[in-house]
Amino acid sequence: MDFLAPTTWAAALAAKAEHPDAVAVAGGTDVMVEINFDRRRPPALLDLTRVPELREWAPEAGRIRLGAGVTYARVIDELGATLPGLAMAARTVGSPQIRNRGTVGGNLGAASPAGDSHPALLAADADVEVASVRGTRRIPVAEFFTGVKRNALAPDELIAAVWITPPAGPQQFCKIGTRNAMVIAVSAFGLALHPARRAVGTGIGSAAPTPRRATAAAGFLAGELEAAGLWESRGELPDALAVEFGARVRDAAAPIDDVRGTAAYRLHTLSVMARRVAGWAWTEYRSAA
Amino acid sequence: MTSTQITSQVRIGDGRVGQSALRPDGTLKVTGEFAYSSDLWHDDMVWGVTLRSPHPHARIVSIDTTAASAVPGVSAVLTADDVPGVNAVGLEHLDTPALATGVVRYEGEPVALVAADHPETARRAAKRIVVDYEVLPALTDPRRALDADAPLVHADGNLVRSMQIRRGDPAPTAPVVVALDFEVGMQDQAFLGPESGLAVPAEDGGVDLFVATQWLHVDQTQICRVLGLPPEKVRLTLAGVGGAFGGREALSVHVHACLLALRTGRPVKMSYARDESFHGHVHRHPAWLRYEFGAQPDGTLVYGKADILFDGGAYASSTAAVVGNGGTLGLGPYAIPNVRVDARGVYTNNPPCGAMRGFGCVQAAFAHEALMDALADRVGVDRVEIRGLNGMRLGDSNITGQVIDSAAPVRELIETVRDMPLPAERSGAADIRELPGGVSNTTHGEGVVRGIGYAVTYKNVGFSEGFDDYSTARVRLEMTAGEPVATVHTAAAEVGQGLITVEQQICRTELGVERVVVHPKDTTVGSGGSTSASRQTYVTGGAVKAACEAVRASVLARVDVPECRLEGDKIVSAHGEVVASLAEVLGSGAVEETVEWRHRPTREIDPETGQGDAHVQYAFSAHRAVVDVDVELGLVKVVALDTAQDVGKAINPDAVIGQIQGGSAQGMGLALMEEIVVTDGHVRNPSFTDYLIPTILDMPPMRIAVLEYADPHAPYGVRGVGEPPTISSGPAVAAAIRAATGRALRRVPVRPEHITGT
Ligand SMILES: Cc1cc2nc3c(=O)[nH]c(=O)nc-3n(C[C@H](O)[C@H](O)[C@H](O)COP(=O)(O)OP(=O)(O)OC[C@H]3O[C@@H](n4cnc5c(N)ncnc54)[C@H](O)[C@@H]3O)c2cc1C
């Protein structure tokens, strides 16, 4: 197995172009597990941890450009206030050790339906910046997940960064697990309110072959809020509306039964989580007036 | 080569019995320097791996090892045909082939072995072994095991053991009757240090095995039989053990590493990865339990009935003993005049089940404690009061007619936990880490209901039903560099519980020395018996104490003054005068004594009535659990898990607390999350990704009341400590969840969907 260790982004892209079958390693918290279990024996590993550009984040053009190699621990510490939804998701990932090494780029690279950053990125309308020696493109995160553990990267591409607009409204993230820490999501839900656009962002995790949005539910909630003039009045969120939103989020999912939970339980939890987070987010929106 | 020789002088107080002497292995473990069995190394070693069956039940038509043997770097490929001795091991029945012959009976059964110069090479070569299987119908529902048309797992039938207890009125009636069915899932010991060992071939044609295990001598007997070697040619030394909990009582790498070492002439290391570990050791028996209590209107028990079925899996392992405990102790620590208990253990094509902390009692406790709550509610008596009312007392007979001849403080234990302060009610905006779901942020208080549950249980200590249960200790006293030094040598396995500290404390107490060297645990001294059944402090502690007494007697016999004692480097008279210095008396020689020590004998029970003095000692504990349940999402946060336990005498109070905390966490784990999920004979979660054990965010701080009612028959009055907390904590947690949710919850672990009903 070859071990490629570029120290610049240009060299990393060149290496990936030359060895499209090389597997990138960021924190290694997915890759090394697979290698240790002999589930994967790539011809080459492409170590990205020596590429400084990937470890940076900065405001740019009104958005945050988050390097693919920024760890969860740093998202929590450095971006907790700026990107609350993503930071809440990051807080639920694994254990302190995993959060110290694991990265958002790696989560996207693995593209697991249970990846915790995904619902938050979907709700926040993030874009994934990918690059190759051929150039750079930005993929809306909703188009990034193409199948179970598959993503939109071409063989010669790497993930450079994620672009997220710092929210003008409340964000929430929650996740079901059968213990109180260090657990893979049985189901997860991310929510963002975009008051300026009168829009609602959603993301569902672990309840479909890919992370996905609850588009119809989001449109329904935004529309009802609009119709009732609630965006302006910041009046109370009617219970029935929250319940109905929950039901529609549930209807957007397509979970399976597995050893972590039944499909029925996953659906049930989505309806509860969506209802609750809608309430929390709305309360925050009201109190921000 | 690595083995763990531990000497230490670090201690708190003077490190004697009753003080929290520091463990000599503690610092090494905390700093990551302790050599566990997986760190064993020999410069010339090769690596051994196991090829395991993918099928729960199949006939082996043929095995072709040609391609595997041809892999460069491979030094041996072995199958059952290569076993020189008798291809059978087992703790109770010799029913387990070291390597499968003709048939495989569970998914994960060892079929072939490979040794190679690199573990990866060995694993890849193992994949090139071609085994032609003819898949057979598998028996995977133990409730069908005794049906006439059930597939036979072993030729002589699917029953491992059946036991009946009959006492009092054969057809009792009572004004109040409660009856319920329960189910307990398959728990795993989930020790962190995987099975590993190093077998080194010796010039005499024998082998030296360094291995993490629980009972060196019973391993030795089993290995000898398979290798066809006498005991003097199979020498075992305990390697660093990373947890055991019963899971190392049956053999894992032991025989396999020796077979490969003798074949290759090279030292062979084997070390399981986590997924293999989940297939490579026995689990806790799942159980199906049908219970009935009859009582007076005031809640006084008139009769108890139980029908308990344990799934033993493909091989017997400790199933008979589990049935023995489930049967004799299955109705809990209550005085019950009329009894009818049937307990059975059966073979199936599920993973083999065997020893795990608290066995037999853990399963039964979920049933008798839930039923006791049901009875309390039915007759309108407080749940604590009904336990006090029916609880055993000193002098009562248990259901096998054995008189409890030392403390049985059931009422005191349950009232002690009841009277402990309750955790504060949640108020206002709580830290989400304190709520069900924790930082997963699923509730800010919505749906959260608090519940409180109680349980009290008991467990036998030591081996029972007539077993010759003994331990051997060799103690030497000598002067080294002007200082008296005691060396204690037993074969009793230190598995993390703190036995070596206890051995040191006893030597200091009896011989008045400061420095105590703990000799490596090996088979050059007689058997220490099993590190299980909460027995080592009692039995090996008893042996060490007796050996110290013998050493002391022989030293004091050399001075002509009556009633002296040893104190430091001096011999002191009863009046405190220095009679002689130890240096004078011992000179350059040493005094050494070896003692084989037994506890009071136990007896087999009557096969018809189940009556008899089956056990040597009983240990009692109670728990009170307080839980917050998100009843809409089915998520649980245990807020408090408080306990009271009678330990007879706390030889090392900190170690006692450690056992109680760990045992409570393990019992809570079974109530909440720990289950090996088996579908059609296949294990679906052989990893820590999906076999969940409690984290620090799941385990609350505990209030622990340690009672010390000395057992007059036991050394220093000790009572076994390790198992009781694992037995009473789970039922208390389950009861608390029932109280919060109002759900029946007849199965553990309680899954979120059982609470939400989805
Ligand atoms: C004990 C444990 C607990 C865990 N708990 C959670 C959890 O709670 N929630 C969760 O979501 N995940 C969890 N994970 C999975 C893992 O930690 C996350 O998916 C993490 O985000 C992976 O990041 P990484 O940097 O370690 O990725 P790596 O393992 O280095 O890579 C993951 C994948 O992404 C690819 N990749 C990495 N960087 C790039 C790049 N710049 N361009 C293109 N491809 C790239 C790799 O080739 C690989 O396919 C857990 C893992 C472990 C071992």
Side-chain angles (χ1 to χ4, degrees), chain A residues 38 41 88 172-175 177-180 184 260 265 268 275-276 280, chain B residues 120 124 127 437 440-442 444 446 630 632-633 636 689-690 693 698 752:
Chain A
D38 208 5
R41 272 294 175 277
M88 288 167 108
Q172 283 290 341
F173 173 86
C174 49
K175 144 177 167 184
T178 357
R179 71 180 164 196
N180 290 307
I184 296 189
R260 292 175 197 146
Y265 176 70
H268 168 75
R275 161 163 55 79
R276 287 186 183 171
W280 302 335
Chain B
E120 185 79 35
R124 294 187 165 213
K127 285 185 190 157
S440 291
N441 189 39
T442 44
H444 294 171
E446 300 89 339
D630 183 335
E632 261 191 305
L633 290 174
V636 177
T689 307
D690 288 311
I693 55 178
D698 298 285

mmCIF file of all heavy atoms in Angstrom, chain A residues 38 41 88 172-175 177-180 184 260 265 268 275-276 280, chain B residues 120 124 127 437 440-442 444 446 630 632-633 636 689-690 693 698 752:
data_model
loop_
_atom_site.group_PDB
_atom_site.id
_atom_site.type_symbol
_atom_site.label_atom_id
_atom_site.label_comp_id
_atom_site.label_asym_id
_atom_site.label_seq_id
_atom_site.Cartn_x
_atom_site.Cartn_y
_atom_site.Cartn_z
ATOM 1 N N ASP A 38 -10.078 -4.991 7.831
ATOM 2 C CA ASP A 38 -9.789 -5.625 6.544
ATOM 3 C C ASP A 38 -10.988 -5.546 5.598
ATOM 4 O O ASP A 38 -11.193 -6.389 4.753
ATOM 5 C CB ASP A 38 -9.390 -7.107 6.758
ATOM 6 C CG ASP A 38 -8.471 -7.592 5.645
ATOM 7 O OD1 ASP A 38 -8.073 -6.772 4.795
ATOM 8 O OD2 ASP A 38 -8.163 -8.796 5.614
ATOM 9 N N ARG A 41 -8.868 -2.453 1.374
ATOM 10 C CA ARG A 41 -7.415 -2.501 1.174
ATOM 11 C C ARG A 41 -7.066 -1.654 -0.048
ATOM 12 O O ARG A 41 -6.805 -2.165 -1.116
ATOM 13 C CB ARG A 41 -6.935 -3.941 0.928
ATOM 14 C CG ARG A 41 -6.600 -4.691 2.202
ATOM 15 C CD ARG A 41 -5.388 -4.058 2.899
ATOM 16 N NE ARG A 41 -5.130 -4.693 4.187
ATOM 17 C CZ ARG A 41 -5.751 -4.380 5.313
ATOM 18 N NH1 ARG A 41 -6.690 -3.439 5.338
ATOM 19 N NH2 ARG A 41 -5.451 -4.998 6.433
ATOM 20 N N MET A 88 -23.951 21.945 17.208
ATOM 21 C CA MET A 88 -24.770 21.026 18.011
ATOM 22 C C MET A 88 -24.618 19.604 17.504
ATOM 23 O O MET A 88 -24.544 18.645 18.280
ATOM 24 C CB MET A 88 -26.253 21.429 17.931
ATOM 25 C CG MET A 88 -26.586 22.681 18.695
ATOM 26 S SD MET A 88 -28.240 23.241 18.215
ATOM 27 C CE MET A 88 -29.113 22.839 19.683
ATOM 28 N N GLN A 172 -31.427 24.165 15.125
ATOM 29 C CA GLN A 172 -31.481 23.091 16.116
ATOM 30 C C GLN A 172 -31.020 21.792 15.480
ATOM 31 O O GLN A 172 -31.124 21.606 14.265
ATOM 32 C CB GLN A 172 -32.919 22.905 16.641
ATOM 33 C CG GLN A 172 -33.345 23.961 17.641
ATOM 34 C CD GLN A 172 -32.630 23.824 18.986
ATOM 35 O OE1 GLN A 172 -32.077 22.780 19.330
ATOM 36 N NE2 GLN A 172 -32.607 24.910 19.758
ATOM 37 N N PHE A 173 -30.524 20.923 16.323
ATOM 38 C CA PHE A 173 -30.160 19.591 15.861
ATOM 39 C C PHE A 173 -30.453 18.634 17.003
ATOM 40 O O PHE A 173 -30.165 18.933 18.170
ATOM 41 C CB PHE A 173 -28.676 19.507 15.516
ATOM 42 C CG PHE A 173 -28.213 18.099 15.201
ATOM 43 C CD1 PHE A 173 -28.331 17.597 13.911
ATOM 44 C CD2 PHE A 173 -27.706 17.268 16.195
ATOM 45 C CE1 PHE A 173 -27.944 16.286 13.622
ATOM 46 C CE2 PHE A 173 -27.319 15.967 15.910
ATOM 47 C CZ PHE A 173 -27.428 15.472 14.622
ATOM 48 N N CYS A 174 -31.011 17.484 16.690
ATOM 49 C CA CYS A 174 -31.138 16.450 17.725
ATOM 50 C C CYS A 174 -31.031 15.073 17.110
ATOM 51 O O CYS A 174 -31.227 14.881 15.912
ATOM 52 C CB CYS A 174 -32.426 16.605 18.534
ATOM 53 S SG CYS A 174 -33.889 16.805 17.556
ATOM 54 N N LYS A 175 -30.668 14.149 17.956
ATOM 55 C CA LYS A 175 -30.328 12.800 17.478
ATOM 56 C C LYS A 175 -30.751 11.766 18.502
ATOM 57 O O LYS A 175 -30.581 11.962 19.703
ATOM 58 C CB LYS A 175 -28.823 12.778 17.230
ATOM 59 C CG LYS A 175 -28.060 11.515 17.543
ATOM 60 C CD LYS A 175 -26.593 11.690 17.163
ATOM 61 C CE LYS A 175 -25.720 10.595 17.734
ATOM 62 N NZ LYS A 175 -24.281 10.797 17.449
ATOM 63 N N GLY A 177 -30.248 8.152 20.169
ATOM 64 C CA GLY A 177 -29.323 7.030 20.334
ATOM 65 C C GLY A 177 -29.745 6.268 21.564
ATOM 66 O O GLY A 177 -30.356 6.835 22.466
ATOM 67 N N THR A 178 -29.369 4.977 21.613
ATOM 68 C CA THR A 178 -29.843 4.176 22.754
ATOM 69 C C THR A 178 -28.974 4.328 23.983
ATOM 70 O O THR A 178 -29.167 3.648 24.971
ATOM 71 C CB THR A 178 -29.945 2.686 22.381
ATOM 72 O OG1 THR A 178 -29.606 2.547 21.020
ATOM 73 C CG2 THR A 178 -31.304 2.180 22.592
ATOM 74 N N ARG A 179 -27.961 5.167 23.911
ATOM 75 C CA ARG A 179 -27.337 5.563 25.168
ATOM 76 C C ARG A 179 -27.049 7.052 25.090
ATOM 77 O O ARG A 179 -27.213 7.653 24.030
ATOM 78 C CB ARG A 179 -26.098 4.718 25.488
ATOM 79 C CG ARG A 179 -24.911 4.977 24.637
ATOM 80 C CD ARG A 179 -23.721 4.087 25.029
ATOM 81 N NE ARG A 179 -22.753 4.114 23.947
ATOM 82 C CZ ARG A 179 -21.765 3.245 23.806
ATOM 83 N NH1 ARG A 179 -21.608 2.279 24.671
ATOM 84 N NH2 ARG A 179 -20.935 3.348 22.789
ATOM 85 N N ASN A 180 -26.600 7.596 26.191
ATOM 86 C CA ASN A 180 -26.586 9.052 26.299
ATOM 87 C C ASN A 180 -25.338 9.714 25.747
ATOM 88 O O ASN A 180 -25.164 10.916 25.895
ATOM 89 C CB ASN A 180 -26.827 9.441 27.752
ATOM 90 C CG ASN A 180 -28.261 9.147 28.156
ATOM 91 O OD1 ASN A 180 -29.190 9.583 27.487
ATOM 92 N ND2 ASN A 180 -28.446 8.381 29.209
ATOM 93 N N ILE A 184 -24.134 5.840 17.522
ATOM 94 C CA ILE A 184 -24.507 6.151 16.149
ATOM 95 C C ILE A 184 -25.989 6.497 16.125
ATOM 96 O O ILE A 184 -26.790 5.852 16.808
ATOM 97 C CB ILE A 184 -24.236 4.947 15.227
ATOM 98 C CG1 ILE A 184 -22.733 4.672 15.214
ATOM 99 C CG2 ILE A 184 -24.767 5.199 13.828
ATOM 100 C CD1 ILE A 184 -22.324 3.649 14.190
ATOM 101 N N ARG A 260 -30.145 -1.423 15.248
ATOM 102 C CA ARG A 260 -30.172 -0.229 16.105
ATOM 103 C C ARG A 260 -31.583 0.248 16.395
ATOM 104 O O ARG A 260 -31.787 1.024 17.333
ATOM 105 C CB ARG A 260 -29.407 0.913 15.427
ATOM 106 C CG ARG A 260 -27.931 0.607 15.357
ATOM 107 C CD ARG A 260 -27.131 1.630 14.584
ATOM 108 N NE ARG A 260 -25.863 1.018 14.255
ATOM 109 C CZ ARG A 260 -25.170 1.236 13.147
ATOM 110 N NH1 ARG A 260 -25.589 2.095 12.254
ATOM 111 N NH2 ARG A 260 -24.042 0.608 12.937
ATOM 112 N N TYR A 265 -40.066 2.846 14.894
ATOM 113 C CA TYR A 265 -39.539 3.722 15.949
ATOM 114 C C TYR A 265 -38.863 4.935 15.339
ATOM 115 O O TYR A 265 -39.022 6.061 15.825
ATOM 116 C CB TYR A 265 -38.567 2.934 16.839
ATOM 117 C CG TYR A 265 -37.902 3.798 17.897
ATOM 118 C CD1 TYR A 265 -38.642 4.298 18.970
ATOM 119 C CD2 TYR A 265 -36.551 4.130 17.805
ATOM 120 C CE1 TYR A 265 -38.042 5.095 19.934
ATOM 121 C CE2 TYR A 265 -35.939 4.924 18.769
ATOM 122 C CZ TYR A 265 -36.691 5.415 19.828
ATOM 123 O OH TYR A 265 -36.100 6.207 20.776
ATOM 124 N N HIS A 268 -41.465 7.348 14.255
ATOM 125 C CA HIS A 268 -42.078 7.983 15.422
ATOM 126 C C HIS A 268 -41.161 9.077 15.987
ATOM 127 O O HIS A 268 -41.608 10.196 16.276
ATOM 128 C CB HIS A 268 -42.362 6.905 16.474
ATOM 129 C CG HIS A 268 -42.718 7.464 17.809
ATOM 130 N ND1 HIS A 268 -43.941 8.031 18.075
ATOM 131 C CD2 HIS A 268 -41.995 7.557 18.961
ATOM 132 C CE1 HIS A 268 -43.954 8.450 19.335
ATOM 133 N NE2 HIS A 268 -42.791 8.180 19.893
ATOM 134 N N ARG A 275 -41.320 18.065 15.836
ATOM 135 C CA ARG A 275 -42.273 18.903 16.574
ATOM 136 C C ARG A 275 -41.553 19.681 17.670
ATOM 137 O O ARG A 275 -41.745 20.890 17.817
ATOM 138 C CB ARG A 275 -43.361 18.009 17.180
ATOM 139 C CG ARG A 275 -44.135 18.653 18.309
ATOM 140 C CD ARG A 275 -45.442 17.954 18.615
ATOM 141 N NE ARG A 275 -45.340 16.536 18.908
ATOM 142 C CZ ARG A 275 -44.945 16.037 20.095
ATOM 143 N NH1 ARG A 275 -44.573 16.851 21.074
ATOM 144 N NH2 ARG A 275 -44.918 14.726 20.285
ATOM 145 N N ARG A 276 -40.687 18.977 18.408
ATOM 146 C CA ARG A 276 -40.014 19.669 19.521
ATOM 147 C C ARG A 276 -39.063 20.755 19.020
ATOM 148 O O ARG A 276 -39.051 21.868 19.554
ATOM 149 C CB ARG A 276 -39.230 18.658 20.368
ATOM 150 C CG ARG A 276 -40.144 17.780 21.208
ATOM 151 C CD ARG A 276 -39.328 16.900 22.140
ATOM 152 N NE ARG A 276 -40.202 16.002 22.891
ATOM 153 C CZ ARG A 276 -39.755 15.008 23.649
ATOM 154 N NH1 ARG A 276 -38.442 14.786 23.735
ATOM 155 N NH2 ARG A 276 -40.595 14.249 24.306
ATOM 156 N N TRP A 280 -38.732 24.769 19.855
ATOM 157 C CA TRP A 280 -37.558 25.442 20.431
ATOM 158 C C TRP A 280 -37.076 26.566 19.523
ATOM 159 O O TRP A 280 -36.727 27.647 19.978
ATOM 160 C CB TRP A 280 -36.395 24.462 20.655
ATOM 161 C CG TRP A 280 -36.735 23.298 21.540
ATOM 162 C CD1 TRP A 280 -37.718 23.252 22.493
ATOM 163 C CD2 TRP A 280 -36.098 22.012 21.540
ATOM 164 N NE1 TRP A 280 -37.726 22.017 23.088
ATOM 165 C CE2 TRP A 280 -36.741 21.234 22.539
ATOM 166 C CE3 TRP A 280 -35.049 21.437 20.813
ATOM 167 C CZ2 TRP A 280 -36.372 19.911 22.813
ATOM 168 C CZ3 TRP A 280 -34.676 20.137 21.086
ATOM 169 C CH2 TRP A 280 -35.340 19.376 22.072
ATOM 170 N N GLU B 120 -1.694 -10.538 9.576
ATOM 171 C CA GLU B 120 -2.423 -10.284 8.329
ATOM 172 C C GLU B 120 -2.279 -11.478 7.371
ATOM 173 O O GLU B 120 -3.252 -11.918 6.763
ATOM 174 C CB GLU B 120 -1.796 -9.019 7.712
ATOM 175 C CG GLU B 120 -2.465 -8.506 6.487
ATOM 176 C CD GLU B 120 -3.713 -7.741 6.817
ATOM 177 O OE1 GLU B 120 -3.756 -7.048 7.860
ATOM 178 O OE2 GLU B 120 -4.654 -7.853 6.032
ATOM 179 N N ARG B 124 -5.283 -13.826 6.020
ATOM 180 C CA ARG B 124 -5.565 -14.021 4.596
ATOM 181 C C ARG B 124 -5.472 -15.489 4.217
ATOM 182 O O ARG B 124 -6.255 -15.976 3.397
ATOM 183 C CB ARG B 124 -4.614 -13.187 3.770
ATOM 184 C CG ARG B 124 -4.939 -11.749 4.057
ATOM 185 C CD ARG B 124 -4.220 -10.770 3.232
ATOM 186 N NE ARG B 124 -4.960 -9.535 3.446
ATOM 187 C CZ ARG B 124 -5.118 -8.603 2.546
ATOM 188 N NH1 ARG B 124 -4.553 -8.715 1.374
ATOM 189 N NH2 ARG B 124 -5.826 -7.526 2.822
ATOM 190 N N LYS B 127 -8.541 -17.347 5.076
ATOM 191 C CA LYS B 127 -9.641 -17.173 4.113
ATOM 192 C C LYS B 127 -9.496 -18.110 2.915
ATOM 193 O O LYS B 127 -10.448 -18.306 2.159
ATOM 194 C CB LYS B 127 -9.676 -15.723 3.629
ATOM 195 C CG LYS B 127 -10.240 -14.779 4.678
ATOM 196 C CD LYS B 127 -10.378 -13.365 4.152
ATOM 197 C CE LYS B 127 -10.714 -12.407 5.281
ATOM 198 N NZ LYS B 127 -10.338 -11.024 4.992
ATOM 199 N N GLY B 437 -31.066 11.417 26.723
ATOM 200 C CA GLY B 437 -30.530 11.824 25.424
ATOM 201 C C GLY B 437 -29.270 12.662 25.546
ATOM 202 O O GLY B 437 -28.491 12.753 24.616
ATOM 203 N N SER B 440 -27.360 14.882 22.876
ATOM 204 C CA SER B 440 -28.076 14.621 21.622
ATOM 205 C C SER B 440 -29.306 15.514 21.519
ATOM 206 O O SER B 440 -29.947 15.573 20.472
ATOM 207 C CB SER B 440 -28.471 13.152 21.514
ATOM 208 O OG SER B 440 -27.326 12.362 21.333
ATOM 209 N N ASN B 441 -29.602 16.217 22.595
ATOM 210 C CA ASN B 441 -30.528 17.354 22.526
ATOM 211 C C ASN B 441 -31.922 16.944 22.065
ATOM 212 O O ASN B 441 -32.527 17.601 21.233
ATOM 213 C CB ASN B 441 -29.932 18.407 21.557
ATOM 214 C CG ASN B 441 -30.694 19.726 21.569
ATOM 215 O OD1 ASN B 441 -31.128 20.185 22.625
ATOM 216 N ND2 ASN B 441 -30.860 20.319 20.397
ATOM 217 N N THR B 442 -32.432 15.857 22.639
ATOM 218 C CA THR B 442 -33.749 15.402 22.207
ATOM 219 C C THR B 442 -34.879 15.944 23.069
ATOM 220 O O THR B 442 -36.038 15.890 22.677
ATOM 221 C CB THR B 442 -33.820 13.863 22.210
ATOM 222 O OG1 THR B 442 -33.221 13.386 23.422
ATOM 223 C CG2 THR B 442 -33.081 13.310 21.023
ATOM 224 N N HIS B 444 -35.806 19.128 26.153
ATOM 225 C CA HIS B 444 -35.443 20.172 27.114
ATOM 226 C C HIS B 444 -36.343 20.040 28.339
ATOM 227 O O HIS B 444 -36.556 20.995 29.066
ATOM 228 C CB HIS B 444 -35.586 21.557 26.478
ATOM 229 C CG HIS B 444 -34.596 21.770 25.359
ATOM 230 N ND1 HIS B 444 -34.640 22.855 24.530
ATOM 231 C CD2 HIS B 444 -33.547 21.022 24.926
ATOM 232 C CE1 HIS B 444 -33.653 22.792 23.627
ATOM 233 N NE2 HIS B 444 -32.988 21.669 23.859
ATOM 234 N N GLU B 446 -39.404 18.177 27.861
ATOM 235 C CA GLU B 446 -40.670 17.633 27.364
ATOM 236 C C GLU B 446 -40.693 16.123 27.515
ATOM 237 O O GLU B 446 -39.722 15.442 27.195
ATOM 238 C CB GLU B 446 -40.840 17.941 25.864
ATOM 239 C CG GLU B 446 -40.858 19.400 25.511
ATOM 240 C CD GLU B 446 -39.478 19.966 25.238
ATOM 241 O OE1 GLU B 446 -38.478 19.372 25.687
ATOM 242 O OE2 GLU B 446 -39.400 21.008 24.570
ATOM 243 N N ASP B 630 -37.797 9.899 29.019
ATOM 244 C CA ASP B 630 -38.531 10.653 28.009
ATOM 245 C C ASP B 630 -39.556 9.682 27.444
ATOM 246 O O ASP B 630 -39.225 8.838 26.608
ATOM 247 C CB ASP B 630 -37.553 11.135 26.929
ATOM 248 C CG ASP B 630 -38.237 11.993 25.881
ATOM 249 O OD1 ASP B 630 -39.467 11.846 25.696
ATOM 250 O OD2 ASP B 630 -37.539 12.797 25.232
ATOM 251 N N GLU B 632 -41.986 9.927 25.540
ATOM 252 C CA GLU B 632 -42.368 10.019 24.122
ATOM 253 C C GLU B 632 -41.318 9.402 23.218
ATOM 254 O O GLU B 632 -41.626 8.884 22.151
ATOM 255 C CB GLU B 632 -42.524 11.496 23.749
ATOM 256 C CG GLU B 632 -43.946 11.967 23.763
ATOM 257 C CD GLU B 632 -44.038 13.348 23.125
ATOM 258 O OE1 GLU B 632 -43.312 14.262 23.578
ATOM 259 O OE2 GLU B 632 -44.799 13.500 22.173
ATOM 260 N N LEU B 633 -40.060 9.517 23.617
ATOM 261 C CA LEU B 633 -38.995 8.996 22.777
ATOM 262 C C LEU B 633 -38.410 7.681 23.300
ATOM 263 O O LEU B 633 -37.617 7.032 22.627
ATOM 264 C CB LEU B 633 -37.868 10.029 22.644
ATOM 265 C CG LEU B 633 -38.233 11.267 21.821
ATOM 266 C CD1 LEU B 633 -37.105 12.300 21.869
ATOM 267 C CD2 LEU B 633 -38.527 10.888 20.360
ATOM 268 N N VAL B 636 -33.814 6.985 28.280
ATOM 269 C CA VAL B 636 -33.725 6.910 29.740
ATOM 270 C C VAL B 636 -32.441 7.542 30.229
ATOM 271 O O VAL B 636 -31.376 7.339 29.648
ATOM 272 C CB VAL B 636 -33.750 5.435 30.207
ATOM 273 C CG1 VAL B 636 -33.594 5.353 31.728
ATOM 274 C CG2 VAL B 636 -35.022 4.737 29.748
ATOM 275 N N THR B 689 -19.665 -0.900 18.273
ATOM 276 C CA THR B 689 -20.523 0.075 17.605
ATOM 277 C C THR B 689 -21.975 -0.194 17.974
ATOM 278 O O THR B 689 -22.749 0.733 18.193
ATOM 279 C CB THR B 689 -20.372 -0.051 16.075
ATOM 280 O OG1 THR B 689 -18.999 0.018 15.747
ATOM 281 C CG2 THR B 689 -21.133 1.041 15.366
ATOM 282 N N ASP B 690 -22.315 -1.474 18.052
ATOM 283 C CA ASP B 690 -23.719 -1.814 18.269
ATOM 284 C C ASP B 690 -23.967 -2.663 19.500
ATOM 285 O O ASP B 690 -25.115 -2.869 19.869
ATOM 286 C CB ASP B 690 -24.287 -2.498 17.021
ATOM 287 C CG ASP B 690 -24.469 -1.512 15.892
ATOM 288 O OD1 ASP B 690 -25.051 -0.438 16.133
ATOM 289 O OD2 ASP B 690 -24.001 -1.779 14.772
ATOM 290 N N ILE B 693 -22.379 -0.531 25.828
ATOM 291 C CA ILE B 693 -22.227 -0.613 27.274
ATOM 292 C C ILE B 693 -22.298 0.817 27.815
ATOM 293 O O ILE B 693 -22.027 1.768 27.086
ATOM 294 C CB ILE B 693 -20.895 -1.308 27.681
ATOM 295 C CG1 ILE B 693 -19.684 -0.629 27.039
ATOM 296 C CG2 ILE B 693 -20.926 -2.771 27.275
ATOM 297 C CD1 ILE B 693 -18.357 -1.250 27.451
ATOM 298 N N ASP B 698 -23.876 7.781 31.112
ATOM 299 C CA ASP B 698 -25.053 6.964 31.406
ATOM 300 C C ASP B 698 -25.107 6.556 32.870
ATOM 301 O O ASP B 698 -26.140 6.142 33.361
ATOM 302 C CB ASP B 698 -25.030 5.698 30.540
ATOM 303 C CG ASP B 698 -25.094 6.034 29.076
ATOM 304 O OD1 ASP B 698 -26.188 6.397 28.616
ATOM 305 O OD2 ASP B 698 -24.059 5.983 28.392
ATOM 306 N N PRO B 752 -35.909 1.432 23.579
ATOM 307 C CA PRO B 752 -36.765 2.623 23.474
ATOM 308 C C PRO B 752 -38.133 2.306 22.875
ATOM 309 O O PRO B 752 -39.155 2.828 23.336
ATOM 310 C CB PRO B 752 -35.964 3.544 22.545
ATOM 311 C CG PRO B 752 -34.543 3.124 22.720
ATOM 312 C CD PRO B 752 -34.573 1.653 23.016
#
